[in-house]
């Protein structure tokens, strides 16, 4: 199917599901189709303009190149103009040989249709330029949207990475603080236990000394009591 300006204006692309913008492959395919159609239109316009120039100069027209039909008002106007010029050329060639100047004079006296030929060509060139500009704008918008989305994703990833790094650093500081606090508490407990141990050792040493003194004193008292008892029996 031939591409028309309305096709370009009303073209709608499918939106992607996981990111913003249009589907890149679909946009590229459509732009390729636009470029191909514009090239074909340009070539056909050039061929029609060359044929018009040949007819105006009174030369023979080469066999037309078979191309796919283009449903545009400009090409229809050019074809009608060509047919009219061909008919005038055929009538001139069929005129009697003794009056060759009359068809030529009649053809020269009708400048209005020929003067209008550049207008469709100019309109076709303007239409082609508009299509190219539209295709270029769509491509630029698609590329700009893709670059913007890429920058947004990169910025979001960098922000997330920085947040993770900051959280890890903060967690590290908290853990180091907790470790230092626990270490300080353990040091305090160790110091308290060592002091308690020293106190118990001192208590044990004093207790042993006191116990030893008490036992020795009891032994001395026992010896003294025994001596007195044996001494009294001897006196009797």
């Amino acid at each position: 199917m031939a591409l028309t300006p309305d096709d370009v204006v009303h073209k709608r692309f499918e939106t992607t599901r996981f990111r913003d913008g249009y589907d890149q492959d679909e946009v590229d395919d459509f732009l390729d189709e636009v470029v191909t159609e514009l090239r074909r239109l340009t070539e056909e316009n050039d061929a029609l303009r060359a044929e018009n120039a040949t007819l105006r100069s009174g030369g023979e027209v080469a066999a037309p190149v078979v191309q796919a039909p283009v449903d545009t008002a400009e090409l229809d106007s050019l074809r009608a103009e060509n047919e009219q010029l061909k008919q005038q050329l055929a009538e001139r060639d069929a005129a009697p040989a003794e009056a060759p100047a009359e068809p030529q004079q009649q053809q020269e006296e009708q400048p209005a249709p020929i003067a209008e030929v550049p207008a469709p060509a100019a309109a076709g060139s303007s239409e082609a330029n508009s299509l190219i500009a539209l295709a270029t704008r769509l491509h630029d918008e698609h590329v700009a949207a893709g670059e913007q989305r890429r920058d947004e994703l990169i910025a979001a990833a960098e922000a997330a990475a920085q947040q993770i790094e900051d959280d890890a650093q903060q967690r590290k500081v908290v853990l180091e603080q907790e470790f230092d606090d626990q270490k300080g508490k353990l040091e305090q407990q160790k110091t308290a236990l060592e002091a308690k141990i020293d106190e118990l050792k001192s208590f044990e040493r004093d207790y042993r000394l006191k116990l030893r003194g008490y036992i020795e004193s009891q032994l001395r008292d026992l010896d003294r009591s025994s001596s007195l008892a044996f001494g009294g029996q001897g006196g009797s």
Side-chain angles (χ1 to χ4, degrees):
M1 182 178 66
L3 182 66
T4 64
D6 289 338
D7 294 336
V8 178
V9 173
H10 298 294
K11 177 64 178 178
R12 294 293 180 269
F13 297 103
E14 295 294 334
T15 57
T16 57
R17 180 172 299 177
F18 300 105
R19 60 183 176 83
D20 296 334
Y22 299 111
D23 185 81
Q24 184 174 359
D25 294 336
E26 186 177 354
V27 173
D28 291 339
D29 293 341
F30 182 72
L31 292 178
D32 292 340
E33 183 181 352
V34 170
V35 171
T36 301
E37 185 67 18
L38 290 177
R39 288 176 178 172
R40 187 170 63 82
L41 284 172
T42 302
E43 291 175 359
E44 186 164 353
N45 287 337
D46 292 340
L48 291 173
R49 283 196 294 269
E51 187 176 351
N52 284 334
T54 303
L55 292 173
R56 286 197 300 271
S57 63
E60 294 183 356
V61 181
V65 179
V66 178
Q67 296 181 351
V70 180
D71 187 13
T72 62
E74 178 216 350
L75 295 181
D76 292 340
S77 177
L78 290 174
R79 289 193 184 95
E81 187 71 24
N82 288 340
E83 292 297 332
Q84 183 179 1
L85 292 174
K86 288 178 183 179
Q87 185 176 2
Q88 291 178 0
L89 184 60
E91 292 176 354
R92 185 193 66 181
D93 294 339
E98 59 273 9
E102 184 177 358
Q104 182 68 24
Q105 183 178 2
Q106 291 178 356
Q107 185 176 359
E108 292 178 355
E109 291 176 356
Q110 297 177 357
I114 299 177
E116 295 177 356
V117 172
S125 178
S126 176
E127 180 181 351
N129 292 334
S130 298
L131 289 175
I132 292 174
L134 177 59
T136 303
R137 181 173 61 82
L138 289 174
H139 179 269
D140 293 341
E141 289 178 355
H142 174 72
V143 172
E147 292 178 350
Q148 181 180 0
R149 182 57 178 168
R150 178 201 62 191
D151 295 340
E152 290 176 355
L153 292 175
I154 292 175
E158 291 178 350
Q162 185 64 37
Q163 184 63 35
I164 293 173
E165 183 178 355
D166 294 341
D167 293 342
Q169 186 66 27
Q170 185 177 2
R171 181 60 178 169
K172 176 184 177 182
V173 173
V174 173
L175 291 176
E176 289 178 350
Q177 184 64 36
E178 292 179 354
F179 174 78
D180 293 339
D181 294 342
Q182 292 295 331
K183 182 179 179 181
K185 291 180 181 179
L186 291 176
E187 291 291 340
Q188 292 177 358
Q189 293 178 359
K190 178 183 177 182
T191 302
L193 290 175
E194 289 177 350
K196 188 68 174 177
I197 291 172
D198 293 338
E199 182 180 355
L200 290 175
K201 287 181 178 179
S202 177
F203 174 79
E204 180 185 9
R205 185 170 54 254
D206 294 340
Y207 178 76
R208 286 178 179 274
L209 290 175
K210 291 179 180 180
L211 181 60
R212 181 177 179 180
Y214 175 74
I215 293 174
E216 289 177 353
S217 64
Q218 290 295 321
L219 290 174
R220 285 195 297 269
D221 292 341
L222 182 60
D223 289 338
R224 188 168 48 252
S225 299
S226 298
S227 299
L228 292 175
F230 285 119
Q233 292 177 359
S236 305

